[in-house]
Amino acid sequence: MADKSTHKERTRERILDEAAQALRVGGTEGISVGALMKRAGLTHGGFYAHFQSRDDLVANAVDRMFRDSAAMLDRFLGEHAGLPELAALVDYYLSEQMLLAPERGCPLPGLSGEVPRMAPAARTRFERGIEVFRSRIARVLTDAGYRDAEQRATSMLAEMVGAMTLARSMSDRRTASDILTNTRHALHGRLTPL
Amino acid sequence: MADKSTHKERTRERILDEAAQALRVGGTEGISVGALMKRAGLTHGGFYAHFQSRDDLVANAVDRMFRDSAAMLDRFLGEHAGLPELAALVDYYLSEQMLLAPERGCPLPGLSGEVPRMAPAARTRFERGIEVFRSRIARVLTDAGYRDAEQRATSMLAEMVGAMTLARSMSDRRTASDILTNTRHALHGRLTPL
DNA sequence: TGTACATCAGTGAACGCGCGTTCACTGATGTAC
DNA sequence: TGTACATCAGTGAACGCGCGTTCACTGATGTAC
């Protein structure tokens, strides 16, 4: 076999992938074990061969989501990333594409509100994910010479997350777009070279 | 009777008040009809004398939450409010007090993420609540002479909501406080008189 | 003022349903010889 | 190469439970006379 991973491992990944998508859209309570397994092309009973419990799945799905996010951060903020790369990340993060595809996007806008009531394992992983995101932005701002890099990074992340959350709340597409456009502009205005 | 409202009306208000608190903390799925009625000192069967269904309750509780928020906005942003009053609102919104009392605070940080999956009636009311908040900030900024008042208002609201959401996600109190402090400072920096 | 009665807010047993979880079983796969 | 067997990923019936909702009933309140 070209693929070293076993059949079971690949099945597990498939379940996790479906779970990560469903959770981003429907929240922690948004999908049942039965519905999830159906989406993965399996029956509900097999679930417990892969996960100890539903909580265990959620914790692992959170990890999975943030691994996807880390890949996105790597893509935009590589080794010598500067303000232009950060600006590009902002544009991507607050794009129409992200507005319309929550199932593949950042878990923060949809799920942050639920973190306080997540089971401990999932919550710990989620907090770590937030911290990674924040510190990678801070790193770029530090390298760009900002003295208040940490504060700016927190402020930027908060605005990005809040903006996408509010935009996705709006059923009117135009209103949602306006929120994204406004915040993209506002954030760009704060990324002027020193 | 001094109070013109009937006994039944007062009971309904009590249920709604408990529901609004529970929903802010636990989300739309965060409380059962039975548990809610128990909190209001009643038994579950009586619920349907006050509300058509659980969805009907949620929609009315959303209204109730935003009525509370509107009262807060009135308190800070009265007739001739300017930048100092807006700055005071920011400080209050991002205070330790609000961090620790989600059950009485703004519904946006905890519930915005769930709006896309709310039933239509609740969702409509929620969207209206967001728009009111945003436009009241915009109003102050317009009066203060900002040309880009609408954009600034959107940006500010997004950062406020995102910051509180992220802060409440953090189980470490210090980290949460830092997020609030950082964003308060960042927002104040954007409220300089023209 | 006292009695009879209507009203109706609230009670609590009961319902059907979907959930997470368990477990005895199936049947495809790959190894041993 | 062909047969016998062990392994184990996945199946599906069954469980107990909490949910939203219904409904016949209770008992306190206030009005009619």
Side-chain angles (χ1 to χ4, degrees):
Chain A
M1 231 183 294
D3 191 344
K4 270 228 309 237
S5 66
T6 65
H7 174 67
K8 190 176 182 183
E9 279 164 349
R10 274 178 277 124
T11 302
R12 185 190 148 97
E13 282 306 303
R14 206 170 69 240
I15 298 170
L16 265 181
D17 190 47
E18 290 294 343
Q21 286 189 47
L23 259 52
R24 275 183 272 224
V25 173
T28 313
E29 310 280 284
I31 198 169
S32 68
V33 169
L36 170 66
M37 292 300 278
K38 199 167 198 172
R39 281 178 55 160
L42 297 164
T43 53
H44 64 274
F47 177 82
Y48 295 87
H50 296 281
F51 301 96
Q52 276 181 37
S53 65
R54 201 182 179 283
D55 275 358
D56 182 36
L57 164 82
V58 172
N60 279 284
V62 168
D63 256 350
R64 173 65 193 251
M65 290 187 258
F66 280 108
R67 253 186 288 141
D68 295 346
S69 288
M72 178 205 65
L73 287 172
D74 286 338
R75 196 143 44 82
F76 282 93
L77 308 181
E79 272 300 292
H80 302 293
L83 298 186
E85 286 77 17
L86 187 50
L89 171 64
V90 167
D91 285 344
Y92 177 74
Y93 195 97
L94 298 175
S95 64
E96 299 280 320
Q97 187 187 338
M98 285 294 116
L99 174 72
L100 300 173
E103 75 278 5
R104 305 216 156 269
C106 179
L108 296 178
L111 295 175
S112 291
E114 292 188 46
V115 176
R117 25 193 155 98
M118 280 184 188
R123 183 171 185 178
T124 304
R125 287 165 162 86
F126 209 99
E127 292 188 41
R128 206 181 302 139
I130 294 174
E131 199 42 56
V132 167
F133 203 153
R134 207 199 57 82
S135 66
R136 292 204 59 169
I137 295 176
R139 178 70 193 278
V140 174
L141 293 173
T142 302
D143 291 351
Y146 285 105
R147 288 238 202 110
D148 54 355
E150 294 292 329
Q151 181 191 296
R152 276 176 182 265
T154 306
S155 163
M156 284 187 65
L157 180 61
E159 181 162 339
M160 287 162 72
V161 172
M164 186 51 84
T165 308
L166 294 178
R168 290 213 185 114
S169 297
M170 295 301 176
S171 47
D172 180 60
R173 176 79 179 278
R174 181 66 172 270
T175 310
S177 287
D178 285 349
I179 292 173
L180 297 182
T181 307
N182 281 339
T183 48
R184 277 201 310 269
H185 287 160
L187 284 162
H188 280 217
R190 274 185 269 159
L191 285 176
T192 46
L194 289 176
Chain B
M1 226 184 301
D3 192 343
K4 270 226 311 233
S5 65
T6 65
H7 174 65
K8 190 176 182 183
E9 278 163 352
R10 273 177 279 124
T11 301
R12 185 190 148 99
E13 281 307 302
R14 206 169 70 241
I15 297 170
L16 264 181
D17 190 46
E18 289 294 342
Q21 286 190 48
L23 259 51
R24 275 183 271 226
V25 173
T28 313
E29 311 279 286
I31 197 169
S32 67
V33 169
L36 170 65
M37 292 300 278
K38 199 167 198 170
R39 282 178 55 160
L42 297 164
T43 53
H44 63 275
F47 177 82
Y48 295 88
H50 296 281
F51 301 97
Q52 275 182 38
S53 65
R54 201 182 178 284
D55 275 358
D56 182 35
L57 164 82
V58 173
N60 279 285
V62 167
D63 256 350
R64 173 65 194 250
M65 289 186 259
F66 280 109
R67 251 186 289 142
D68 295 346
S69 287
M72 179 205 65
L73 288 172
D74 285 340
R75 195 145 43 84
F76 283 92
L77 310 180
E79 272 298 294
H80 303 291
L83 297 185
E85 286 76 18
L86 187 50
L89 171 65
V90 167
D91 284 345
Y92 176 75
Y93 195 98
L94 298 175
S95 65
E96 299 281 318
Q97 188 187 337
M98 286 294 114
L99 175 71
L100 300 173
E103 75 279 5
R104 304 215 158 271
C106 179
L108 295 179
L111 295 175
S112 292
E114 292 188 44
V115 176
R117 27 195 154 96
M118 280 184 187
R123 183 171 184 177
T124 304
R125 286 164 161 87
F126 209 98
E127 293 188 41
R128 206 181 302 140
I130 294 175
E131 198 43 54
V132 166
F133 203 152
R134 207 198 58 81
S135 65
R136 293 205 56 171
I137 296 176
R139 179 68 194 279
V140 174
L141 293 174
T142 302
D143 290 352
Y146 285 106
R147 290 242 200 106
D148 55 354
E150 294 293 329
Q151 181 191 297
R152 276 176 183 265
T154 306
S155 163
M156 284 187 64
L157 180 61
E159 182 162 339
M160 288 162 72
V161 172
M164 186 51 83
T165 308
L166 294 178
R168 289 211 185 116
S169 298
M170 295 302 175
S171 48
D172 180 60
R173 176 80 180 277
R174 181 67 171 271
T175 311
S177 287
D178 286 349
I179 292 172
L180 297 181
T181 308
N182 281 339
T183 47
R184 276 202 311 268
H185 286 159
L187 284 161
H188 280 218
R190 276 185 268 160
L191 286 176
T192 47
L194 288 176

